[in-house]
Amino acid sequence: MKEVLGYIRKRTNQAKQNPFILWLDDDSISARDRLSLWLPHISAFVMGFMDLNKLIFPYPSSEAATDELKRLINNHCRQDGTHWEWYLRDLQKLDLNRTMKFSEGLDFIYGDERKLDRAFMYGIAALAHEAQDPLLRYSLIAPLEFFAHLLFGKTAAIARKFAEETGIQLEYMGDIHSGVEPGGLVNQHHEIIDENLFTEAVLNEQMRKRGLEMAEYMCDQIELGWKRNLEFAKKREWATPIAVV
């Protein structure tokens, strides 16, 4: 498992140069814009991520009761399956909760502009079905957590600046979310000790190869998604109107 995790760490470190991450680091852009211009675009991903953690990643409770690794994954999913609530509240706080017809809302989430995000969710679901072994499933979960640790560490710093400017405390984009994205499993009573059951595990050659393939797919798709976030942000379609005084 160490080789798989080493690959994910290497890719996460390289992702610090992703154009989207560099854009988030650009202090010449207002904090509000860096937080809000791309946030609506990830709606399909956020709600799909909820389903991954409620419907796809968890094991049946009967299996988790007799398998420690499956139990740890289920505990993790219970926490990650709640993040969408923070997302919805931040849309409201950032003045992004636009009124639109129900059909328009469906078209926004399920239209062509977000089809690759949805395809990523479906791809993960297919791989999770294959990855019945919890060590392989961890190869899918770990990239999401490593990359989330990088991303929400960036947004939390911006959100603190936004709070200083406006008095508005964000959740999904702020320290609340960042605080539960340690780069590994969350919601464990003895997190480091428990996660060692995964990180210290020895994979056979077939599982090692497949774990690396799954991790590569996840890292590739996350980075491509980040680049799409930047493309969406640069269109400024969801910029907050400037009030006329």
Side-chain angles (χ1 to χ4, degrees), residues 23 28 56 58 67 99 160 168 177 181 195 203:
W23 181 81
S28 70
I56 305 300
D67 188 309
T99 299
R160 287 192 290 273
I168 298 172
H177 194 182
E181 296 292 356
E195 194 153 9
L203 304 178

Side-chain angles (χ1 to χ4, degrees), residues 46 49 79-87 172 177 180-181:
V46 173
F49 185 74
Q79 167 59 250
D80 269 13
T82 65
H83 296 181
W84 65 276
E85 300 171 9
W86 301 332
Y87 175 75
Y172 189 82
H177 194 182
V180 295
E181 296 292 356

Side-chain angles (χ1 to χ4, degrees), residues 102-122:
F102 184 50
S103 57
E104 293 171 339
L106 290 175
D107 183 62
F108 182 83
I109 294 174
Y110 291 98
D112 283 347
E113 199 162 18
R114 271 148 291 284
K115 67 180 180 182
L116 294 179
D117 284 346
R118 300 194 309 276
F120 182 31
M121 293 296 104
Y122 303 144

Side-chain angles (χ1 to χ4, degrees), residues 132-172:
Q132 291 301 310
D133 189 295
L135 293 174
L136 274 184
R137 195 162 294 187
Y138 185 76
S139 299
L140 298 173
I141 294 173
L144 292 167
E145 298 307 314
F146 277 63
F147 277 76
H149 180 69
L150 170 60
L151 174 60
F152 293 110
K154 298 289 185 181
T155 64
I158 303 169
R160 287 192 290 273
K161 182 178 180 181
F162 179 72
E164 291 173 0
E165 295 170 351
T166 66
I168 298 172
Q169 300 287 337
L170 299 175
E171 298 173 70
Y172 189 82

Side-chain angles (χ1 to χ4, degrees), residues 180-205:
V180 295
E181 296 292 356
L185 297 182
V186 297
N187 203 28
Q188 315 304 329
H189 294 300
H190 306 286
E191 186 174 318
I192 296 176
I193 296 174
D194 287 348
E195 194 153 9
N196 281 346
L197 294 174
F198 291 95
T199 59
E200 298 298 323
V202 177
L203 304 178
N204 63 38
E205 179 58 24

Side-chain angles (χ1 to χ4, degrees), residues 40-55:
H41 177 66
I42 66 170
S43 51
F45 177 89
V46 173
M47 304 314 288
F49 185 74
M50 173 192 70
D51 281 343
L52 286 179
N53 285 284
K54 289 189 174 184
L55 303 174

